[in-house]
Amino acid sequence: MKANVRITATLMALSSALAISNAQADGHYVPGVEGIQAASAPPPGMYYVGYLLNYDIEDFRAPGSSSNLPGHNTGTVTALANRFVWMTNQKFLGADYGMEAIVPVIRTSLTVNAAGISDSRSGVGDIYLGPLLLGWHGTQWDAVAAAGMWLDNGSTSHPASPGKGYKSTMLTAGMTYYFDTAKTYTASALMRYELNRSNSDGYRAGDQMTLEWGLGKSFGAVSAGLVGYSQWQMRDDRGSGATSDKASRHAIGAELVYPIASAGLVLKGAFYKEVSATAGSGALPKGSLARLTLVKAF
């Protein structure tokens, strides 16, 4: 993959390697944006969800090496993903039917002396349009399914540009289970599968699967728990420079949820530490992710 596409993939998705890597879990979806009760869709209504993210790359490693690259190397991205959700009063397959859109705004700063890169850019990233969002609600469980497309509207002209340069279709399924009737103990799992298309140069990143999970406990209105994510590259990259190495990435963290009922707001804060990042038998750069989420019901 060309340098600008690889780096944009890394930092916009907050989940990949740098241009010097030969394989990576490469997709549009940002891992770590969902945590406790990740697979619970809201009731009918209009909602705004703002995800403020900051990702710092802590280890810059070449493929197959456990040592950091020489020189001064830093990589940071700050992104505000603006998600708009409309859950209608209509039913489909017994579920509440809704639709959604995500508009990310991204600031990326890169300094990688080993690759001769020094660049900082801000802009609108690739937009997601989801015409199908389904939410089921049982006595002690919730479930969700969704389908939509990531567009390729974002710029890819520089190494730190926010676009990825290709479209992808994303399929979603997940479930939240409540261990007691009071719904104070929860476990959730949310799976995303991205089918990537080729970019303008004919390069096609392998499909990516992301699993986000959470184990939570409520203490009155406040909730807290363990969260984590894993990503796997499911198919080989195709095109010039592609290899058969498939990437994977895993992180664990904690989340706190604080609702403000009088204002119709929910605040969520989480921190993730990546514990593994590999491509075949080699290593990939890894880092840490901090997230602040604001949910507003209208």
Side-chain angles (χ1 to χ4, degrees), residues 182-205:
K183 298 185 177 182
T184 59
Y185 291 92
T186 65
S188 65
L190 184 69
M191 186 75 72
R192 313 271 195 179
Y193 193 94
E194 295 174 82
L195 297 95
N196 296 325
R197 300 186 184 183
S198 299
N199 65 13
S200 59
D201 295 325
Y203 190 97
R204 179 174 177 176

Side-chain angles (χ1 to χ4, degrees), residues 37 217-224 256-269 293-296:
Q37 294 179 266
K217 171 70 171 68
S218 64
F219 305 89
V222 178
S223 299
L256 178 67
V257 181
Y258 184 81
I260 306 175
S262 60
L265 293 174
V266 178
L267 299 178
K268 304 179 183 181
T293 305
L294 181 147
V295 183
K296 171 62 178 176

Side-chain angles (χ1 to χ4, degrees), residues 25 31 54 78 113 145 205 216:
N54 186 81
T78 300
N113 289 345

Side-chain angles (χ1 to χ4, degrees), residues 113-126:
N113 289 345
I117 296 170
S118 180
D119 193 25
S120 295
R121 303 284 165 180
S122 298
V124 176
D126 294 339

Side-chain angles (χ1 to χ4, degrees), residues 9-165:
T10 299
L11 297 172
M12 198 197 78
L14 310 180
S15 62
S16 303
L18 288 173
I20 48 176
S21 300
N22 292 321
Q24 63 189 59
D26 189 10
H28 282 92
Y29 183 68
V30 178
V33 299
E34 303 290 354
I36 300 172
Q37 294 179 266
S40 297
M46 299 286 293
Y47 301 88
Y48 167 77
V49 187
Y51 306 93
L52 181 60
L53 305 155
N54 186 81
Y55 181 78
D56 286 312
I57 298 177
E58 299 169 350
D59 295 320
F60 287 80
R61 297 172 295 179
S65 173
S66 59
S67 301
N68 284 339
L69 293 173
H72 176 65
N73 306 304
T74 62
T76 302
V77 61
T78 300
L80 175 61
N82 301 282
R83 183 184 182 192
F84 305 92
V85 180
W86 178 30
M87 297 300 297
T88 72
N89 290 310
Q90 304 301 313
K91 294 287 187 179
F92 182 69
L93 299 177
D96 294 333
Y97 167 74
M99 57 191 72
E100 61 182 331
I102 302 173
V103 182
V105 180
I106 303 160
R107 172 66 178 176
T108 300
S109 297
L110 288 173
T111 300
V112 187
N113 289 345
I117 296 170
S118 180
D119 193 25
S120 295
R121 303 284 165 180
S122 298
V124 176
D126 294 339
I127 293 172
Y128 174 78
L129 299 177
L132 180 65
L133 176 59
L134 302 176
W136 292 267
H137 305 282
T139 303
Q140 288 184 231
W141 59 272
D142 295 321
V144 68
M149 174 171 287
W150 290 97
L151 306 180
D152 58 352
N153 59 280
S155 171
T156 59
S157 57
H158 297 87
S161 293
K164 295 179 72 66

